[in-house]
Structure formats: C-alpha cells, structure tokens
C-alpha cells in the first residue's frame, strides 16, 4: 500500500542545511497499523508529511497504491495533534466538512457520519459545538472527520499528545476498535512507547536526527490490547521494555 524508497529530506535555512531524515526504506501493507517512534527532532512528522504529499522528498520516492505521491490526495487523510474544529459548526457539520470541500453532497454522507459518531461514542452530541466538548471528545470528532471520506490511508501525527494520560489510553482503545472494524491502513507518529505497543502491528524506531530506521519491531500481541491487567500483560511489558532499550541506546 505504502512504499518509501531511499527517502531523504533536508531543509536549508540561514544557518545551513539540516538533514531531517535519511535513507528511509519502508513498506506498509494494506490494512496494517504502523507506529513511528523516536525522540523529538528525529524526523517523524517530516516522514508523515512526505507520505501525505505535503512535503516533497529531497531524494527517493514515496508511492501509495503504486502511484508516486507528489501532492495531497483524497484517499489519504491526515490527523494532527490539535483537532482544529471550526468553532461555529456543529459536531456533525465538522465531520461532514471534507465532503463539502471535495464537492460532495452532505445528505449522501450523513448516515456514514452518524455511524462514525456512534462508533466513537459521540452519539447524541451531533448538534453540540466544539467548545461544549472535552479535549478528548474534540479529537474523536477530528477522527470521524478524517474517516468520513473512507480514506485508504490514515496518517496520524501525535493526535493524543495534548491529552491527559487516562484520556489518551481511552482514545487508544477507541482507535483500536475503529481499526479492527474498518481495516484502514494507518501510520501513527508518537513519542509514547505505550501508544505504540497498544496500537501497532509494527513499530518503526527512528534514530536521532537525521532520522534513520534503527529497528522495526513486530508486535504480535492479540487485540484488543490494554496496559492494565489482562491475558497479555507480560507480552505488553516485554515489548515496552524492548522499545525503551532501543530508544535509550
């Protein structure tokens, strides 16, 4: 589904050239959930923006479904750290915003919007305005908005980082359920080892800048996963410890 071939990205400014990522080779299968984990400044967000077509690669190429990515595409959705909801639009109208932007009819997608809101625990909040919602609820609305056009690829740039620990874990559980139901291909950037272990099929660990792939760890823990007591508590702890050692090396 996604293929990065020898992808590098540099930025040039007054103080010279900075290499953000270097020589990235990565394949992401259809329906796979891949987390990208690394220290601040290692190029995680840069990598995501190149897959989204928001930044060109300096060298190498990015392909999605066999086509080279040169600009944003309708089949690739992106979710950022902040929900960026329009304050004057209701929850339902915020979810339907991409449909209007792409020239579709809201009525044709209204049932899908209600389905997504129900899936993420927001049934009954369709007419609320963003300021009436908690931070976690706003991010759920942003998730529904990203999924409304049924993208083949979902790119998520630390979407839960501004939330408290309990809300982050709750939303991680919601995202697990959404992914299991919809089988969307997801690339998820995070600083959090816990999020990576809870969510991913594989975790790509990047080195400090310039970001290079240090290790790719398979997470072979059955879903749904939890950080609390459960049948797979030992496996979750072992995987978290291995990622911690990789990041500290």
């Amino acid at each position: 589904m996604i293929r990065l071939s020898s992808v590098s990205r540099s930025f040039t400014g007054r103080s010279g050239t900075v290499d953000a990522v270097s020589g990235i080779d990565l394949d992401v299968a259809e329906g796979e959930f891949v987390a990208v984990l690394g220290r601040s400044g290692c190029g995680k967000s840069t990598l995501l923006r190149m897959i989204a077509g928001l930044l060109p690669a300096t060298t190498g190429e990015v392909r999605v479904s066999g086509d080279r990515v040169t600009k944003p595409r309708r089949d690739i959705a992106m979710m950022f750290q902040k929900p960026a909801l329009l304050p004057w639009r209701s929850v339902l109208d915020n979810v339907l915003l991409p449909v209007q932007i792409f020239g579709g009819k809201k009525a044709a997608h209204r049932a899908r919007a209600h389905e997504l809101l129900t899936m993420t625990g927001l049934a009954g909040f369709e007419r609320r305005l963003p300021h009436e919602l908690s931070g976690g609820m706003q991010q759920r609305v942003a998730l529904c908005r990203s999924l409304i056009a049924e993208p083949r690829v979902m790119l998520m740039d630390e979407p839960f980082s501004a939330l408290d620990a309990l809300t982050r874990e709750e939303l991680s559980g919601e995202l697990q359920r959404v992914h299991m139901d919809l089988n969307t291909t997801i690339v998820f950037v995070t600083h959090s080892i816990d999020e990576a272990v809870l969510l991913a099929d594989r975790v790509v660990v990047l080195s400090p800048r310039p970001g290079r792939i240090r290790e790719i760890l398979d997470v072979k823990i059955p879903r749904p996963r939890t950080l609390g007591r459960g049948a797979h508590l030992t496996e979750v702890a072992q995987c978290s410890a291995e990622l911690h050692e990789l990041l500290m090396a």
Side-chain angles (χ1 to χ4, degrees):
M1 170 60 74
I2 303 171
R3 171 163 290 179
L4 284 73
S5 303
S6 301
V7 169
S8 299
R9 172 70 198 196
S10 300
F11 296 93
T12 302
R14 292 182 179 179
S15 56
T17 299
V18 175
D19 296 325
V21 294
S22 179
I24 301 292
D25 290 299
L26 179 66
D27 288 334
V28 179
E30 186 167 3
E32 189 176 16
F33 196 126
V34 171
V36 180
L37 184 66
R39 293 175 178 267
S40 296
C42 72
K44 302 185 299 298
S45 294
T46 297
L47 195 63
L48 212 63
R49 283 163 170 74
M50 287 190 289
I51 299 173
L54 300 174
L55 275 178
T58 304
T59 60
E61 67 174 19
V62 179
R63 291 184 177 270
V64 172
S65 299
D67 299 321
R68 188 166 185 171
V69 176
T70 58
K71 60 183 180 180
R73 296 165 39 150
R74 292 181 61 173
D75 60 345
I76 301 176
M78 190 156 181
M79 186 174 171
F80 298 94
Q81 292 181 28
K82 296 183 179 180
L85 304 178
L86 298 181
W88 60 88
R89 294 178 69 111
S90 68
V91 164
L92 182 61
D93 284 340
N94 266 290
V95 172
L96 290 168
L97 181 61
V99 175
Q100 289 182 275
I101 291 174
F102 291 127
K105 294 182 178 179
K106 291 199 322 183
H109 291 80
R110 195 174 298 274
R112 173 64 174 166
H114 283 286
E115 178 185 339
L116 289 169
L117 289 169
T118 298
M119 185 184 299
T120 54
L122 290 171
F125 290 88
E126 292 86 354
R127 296 185 180 276
R128 298 289 183 92
L129 294 174
H131 76 269
E132 299 177 282
L133 307 179
S134 67
M137 293 172 76
Q138 289 183 28
Q139 279 296 65
R140 290 179 183 179
V141 176
L143 176 60
C144 293
R145 182 181 60 193
S146 298
L147 291 167
I148 188 65
E150 300 186 26
R152 299 190 67 188
V153 174
M154 171 82 78
L155 306 175
M156 308 184 78
D157 191 2
E158 299 188 68
F160 308 147
S161 62
L163 305 174
D164 64 85
L166 288 177
T167 303
R168 288 179 73 161
E169 187 173 349
E170 182 183 43
L171 285 181
S172 292
E174 294 285 353
L175 184 55
Q176 279 192 75
R177 285 189 284 275
V178 169
H179 179 247
M180 291 168 69
D181 287 344
L182 302 181
N183 202 37
T184 305
T185 305
I186 298 177
V187 181
F188 185 98
V189 162
T190 181
H191 282 108
S192 169
I193 291 173
D194 288 345
E195 281 183 352
V197 174
L198 281 175
L199 294 169
D201 298 305
R202 291 187 296 155
V203 181
V204 177
V205 180
L206 295 185
S207 66
R209 191 173 60 207
R212 297 183 174 92
I213 294 179
R214 171 175 284 173
E215 190 81 34
I216 299 178
L217 181 68
D218 290 322
V219 184
K220 298 178 180 179
I221 304 171
R223 291 188 173 91
R225 302 170 189 163
T226 176
L227 293 175
R229 295 183 184 276
H232 307 288
L233 179 60
T234 301
E235 293 96 321
V236 169
Q238 288 175 342
C239 193
S240 296
E242 188 170 349
L243 286 171
H244 185 269
E245 289 175 0
L246 285 169
L247 288 173
M248 295 300 290

